[in-house]
Amino acid sequence: QIVTRRAGTTYQLTSVSLLKEHIRDAIEGDVLGWELVDTGDYTATPDSTSKILMSDTSQMEVGYPVRYEYLGTVYYGIVAEVSENVHVTIRGAALDVGEDLTDLRVGPAARVVVERLSIPGAYLVPWHVPTGTGSEADMLAEIARRAVAWRHGPAKLVAMAVTQATADGTAQPKFNVSIAGDVVLTQDAGAGIQVSATPGAWTWSSAVGIDAAEYSIATGDALEIVCTASGSDGEACDLSVELLFVLE
């Protein structure tokens, strides 16, 4: 054992093996770009599936990626709201209110990748409008006539937002996103997001409406925007989509 001292505390005996673990964690955090949050700065048990109580939020900023761990299982999200020295709200994989966090880290904004996709023109033309419960249409392949593949490193999809330039009568369509053929959003029983009837207004996926079993993406994986429910008249035009990913 050796004698150590942390600023503001008394001297104490520390084992060499424990010191080695602290040094390893610090080096790993620097290499990966993930800064460790001190356990004294937050409550280990999440307050809700999207909220962590914190006594010190100085490391947190809206838009920063977060990495949270339960006994070796790692999940990812992005900071959606900061209540100074009270709590942070995240978008991404749901927090487990029945388990204590064993590791919490925050990364730089550079680890967030925004994928912007668009389907120009009238996108619910009659021969592509989904009809009936459970029907769907692939907007990129069928309407935009394009294929999109992920060209970055391993990442997690933590949020999706949609808007349109022209509304579709009295009822608006709904959208999900698929990675390599598997849909990711869980909200509305898997239907995903209903686009706003107000042109230019962005609608976000619910904070933790993400299937953590399907939100991983690897280089070359196909991305698709799925229309899960049609609008009322088929008049909707110019759909825009933003997908937020966190690089591992």
Side-chain angles (χ1 to χ4, degrees):
Q1 292 186 319
I2 58 176
V3 177
T4 62
R5 182 177 184 273
R6 181 181 177 183
T9 65
T10 60
Y11 289 96
Q12 61 182 8
L13 288 175
T14 302
S15 68
V16 173
S17 61
L18 182 59
L19 182 62
K20 180 181 69 175
E21 290 180 7
H22 288 323
I23 294 172
R24 181 198 62 200
D25 288 345
I27 293 173
E28 180 185 68
D30 289 340
V31 171
L32 297 177
W34 292 102
E35 182 180 355
L36 184 66
V37 179
D38 191 279
T39 55
D41 293 342
Y42 66 95
T43 302
T45 304
D47 188 56
S48 73
T49 56
S50 62
K51 183 186 294 184
I52 301 172
L53 299 180
M54 300 193 70
S55 58
D56 184 352
T57 56
S58 58
Q59 292 172 272
M60 300 292 180
E61 295 285 348
V62 173
Y64 278 18
V66 284
R67 179 183 184 272
Y68 31 106
E69 182 176 336
Y70 301 93
L71 298 173
T73 303
V74 177
Y75 298 94
Y76 295 84
I78 191 169
V79 178
E81 177 192 3
V82 177
S83 179
E84 186 176 0
N85 298 334
V86 177
H87 72 261
V88 293
T89 302
I90 62 100
R91 293 183 185 276
L95 297 163
D96 188 343
V97 297
E99 294 286 344
D100 283 356
L101 293 165
T102 53
D103 190 272
L104 176 63
R105 296 172 187 259
V106 61
R111 297 193 79 90
V112 178
V113 176
V114 182
E115 189 81 18
R116 293 181 172 87
L117 304 170
S118 63
I119 292 88
Y123 62 83
L124 291 184
V125 289
W127 53 91
H128 283 299
V129 175
T131 57
T133 303
S135 59
E136 59 185 37
D138 292 340
M139 304 304 289
L140 294 173
E142 297 181 18
I143 305 299
R145 302 296 185 184
R146 58 182 296 206
V148 176
W150 182 248
R151 296 306 179 195
H152 304 278
K156 308 295 184 184
L157 174 64
V158 297
M160 174 182 178
V162 294
T163 188
Q164 59 187 357
T166 302
D168 190 22
T170 57
Q172 306 309 309
K174 300 178 181 181
F175 299 96
N176 207 320
V177 55
S178 69
I179 296 174
D182 297 312
V183 293
V184 180
L185 303 187
T186 60
Q187 68 192 76
D188 196 4
I193 313 170
Q194 185 168 38
V195 67
S196 173
T198 303
W202 288 92
T203 303
W204 285 89
S205 54
S206 59
V208 288
I210 295 289
D211 186 347
E214 305 294 353
Y215 78 149
S216 299
I217 193 167
T219 305
D221 280 350
L223 280 169
E224 182 59 79
I225 306 304
V226 183
C227 181
T228 58
S230 64
S232 56
D233 305 320
E235 297 174 346
C237 291
D238 301 318
L239 180 71
S240 295
V241 180
E242 289 190 355
L243 304 173
L244 272 60
F245 294 87
V246 172
L247 295 170
E248 295 179 19

